[in-house]
């Protein structure tokens, strides 16, 4: 699979994939005889994980640390687990904050009375 197909499969742009590669956040990517990158299903899984880590607000610094640890193999498992656990806790706190904000907005919206706009046909 080439970079355009990989980008479509994992949700990242080709530019971001190249950035992650240059930043050392990806395992070595094999190239074909034509010099084009060849993306394996395992690499697509890795890119998809990076997509979701970034999408959920993990910093690039933490992502770099996580990927560096992954390259060490089993030696980095405990710290990788902790990074993900900490990130999950952060997401849980953000979710609680967003739920509180949503309830406050609902109260404020209701204070303006019923919606009087007519529905468009």
């Amino acid at each position: 699979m080439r970079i355009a197909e990989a980008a479509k499969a994992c949700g990242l742009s080709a530019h971001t994939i190249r950035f992650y590669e240059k930043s050392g956040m990806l395992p070595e990517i094999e190239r074909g005889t034509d010099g084009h990158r060849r993306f394996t299903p395992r690499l697509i899984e890795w890119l998809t994980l990076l997509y979701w880590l970034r999408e959920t607000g993990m910093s690039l610094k933490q992502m770099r640390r996580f990927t560096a640890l992954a390259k060490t193999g089993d030696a980095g498992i405990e710290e990788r687990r902790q990074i993900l656990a900490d990130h999950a806790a952060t997401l849980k706190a953000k979710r609680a904050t967003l739920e509180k904000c949503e309830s406050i907005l609902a109260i404020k919206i209701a204070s303006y009375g019923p919606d009087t706009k007519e529905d468009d046909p």
Side-chain angles (χ1 to χ4, degrees), residues 42 65-82:
R42 183 165 164 77
R65 179 67 185 150
F66 181 80
T67 58
L69 289 165
K71 290 179 180 181
T72 68
D74 290 347
I77 286 178
E78 286 305 315
E79 191 174 345
R80 281 187 284 158
R81 179 180 288 120
Q82 190 60 53

Side-chain angles (χ1 to χ4, degrees), residues 2-85:
R2 289 186 169 184
I3 197 165
E5 296 165 308
K8 190 172 185 177
C10 70
L12 295 169
S13 68
H15 175 78
T16 300
I17 293 171
R18 288 185 197 100
F19 171 78
Y20 287 168
E21 182 183 22
K22 288 176 187 172
S23 297
M25 295 169 60
L26 302 178
E28 188 170 334
I29 302 172
E30 292 183 26
R31 291 183 181 257
T33 55
D34 58 2
H36 291 259
R37 293 169 186 86
R38 298 287 186 242
F39 292 86
T40 62
R42 183 165 164 77
L43 190 50
I44 297 301
E45 287 178 22
W46 186 249
L47 290 167
T48 302
L49 174 62
L50 293 179
Y51 169 83
W52 286 110
L53 292 177
R54 191 69 182 131
E55 188 71 15
T56 57
M58 184 179 277
S59 71
L60 284 174
K61 180 180 178 181
Q62 278 297 88
M63 289 172 65
R64 284 186 183 105
R65 179 67 185 150
F66 181 80
T67 58
L69 289 165
K71 290 179 180 181
T72 68
D74 290 347
I77 286 178
E78 286 305 315
E79 191 174 345
R80 281 187 284 158
R81 179 180 288 120
Q82 190 60 53
I83 288 170
L84 294 178

